[in-house]
Amino acid sequence: MVETIQWTDEGVVMIDQTRLPLVKEFVTCRTYEQVADAIRTMVIRGAPAIGVAAAMGVALGVLHASPQTLDSEFETICSTLAATRPTAVNLFWGIDRMKRLYASLRGRPIAEIRDALVREARHVYLEDIAINRAIGAHGAALVPNGKTVLTHCNAGALATAGYGTALGVIRAAVEAGKRIDVFADETRPFLQGARLTVWELQEDGIPVTLITDNMAGHFLRSGRIGCVVVGADRIARNGDVANKIGTYGVAVLAHENEVPFYVAAPVSTLDLTLPSGDRIPIEQRPAREVTEMFGTPVAPAGTSVENPAFDVTPARYIAAIITEKGVARAPYADSLRVLAR
Ligand code: MRU
């Protein structure tokens, strides 16, 4: 399986997701600022992957920070990484985890602090792969045999340290011997479905068909789709889910056609401080992502554009939330609290 992100002696190495599938190129981030840039520009993207990248970015920053000004530099490192993307809570979870460790090491020799933070970042990476495998194991049973699974965006190995959340469920179902194929929404405007999900599943030999976003309703109505599985960027206390723009429409269409709509995400995606999805901050991306296709304008110059990167799917459309600790069902206020314990 493709290596999304790796800690190496040279720095943090990432596959450049802005260039896939045409070019398979790796970039090496040698400073925390470069890691922040890679997150902002979506060289690396997907909620769990940016959580891992943020943890590695903090470790990288501390590795190069001056021992004399470490405390103030640590604050700057964390705030720079936290300012990259606002919606995926995993980013803040990764940074907070490093902050807690740093606080517990106060007064220790610099070499020990550096060593501990690097070890923690590598641990976050390994843990994420194990978590995704556990999500897959819990979710595989929900996938109907002999049917098509519809997914939106890319919630695969590329969006995580490896294996994937939604695609982890699909991989686990295939590993369990289920005969399934996948429909991937292209996912306008950044095309994570067309560029990343299709590429990743093809690499694995899992049958995949690309559809444009506006075809989802047609196929959900056809009876061919056995279930929808998507990832999540932030899940509020009541089970409302923020995920890639377009997810909400797919969920409503799935509900209308009585197709179960599942969300697969690690517990680190839960934000139980928020009562509902209305409070989830939604990132606005640059207008050119909508007005241009690979640098070529597709709309008149000066066109007014909205480009929210995520939408919120109300909990009532979600049949279950699949986590590494088990499957939560409505009422989510109760089931998510138990899983988060
Ligand atoms: O803007 P992106 O590509 O970072 O958005 C990613 C998504 O919305 C994914 O579906 C979500 O992070 C789940 S990833 C396992």
Side-chain angles (χ1 to χ4, degrees), residues 21-32:
L22 300 183
V23 180
K24 188 175 168 186
E25 189 176 78
F26 291 84
V27 297
T28 303
C29 300
R30 294 186 166 80
T31 65
Y32 77 87

Side-chain angles (χ1 to χ4, degrees), residues 42 45-48 85 153-155 159 165 192 231-233 243-244 310:
M42 291 170 71
R45 34 65 53 200
R85 297 193 72 191
C153 193
N154 172 267
T165 55
Q192 289 95 330
D233 287 81
N243 192 50
K244 179 51 53 195
F310 303 95

Side-chain angles (χ1 to χ4, degrees), residues 70-71 102-110 112-113:
L70 188 57
D71 277 350
Y102 182 77
S104 77
L105 293 164
R106 199 161 287 279
R108 308 301 303 168
I110 180 80
E112 192 184 319
I113 295 174

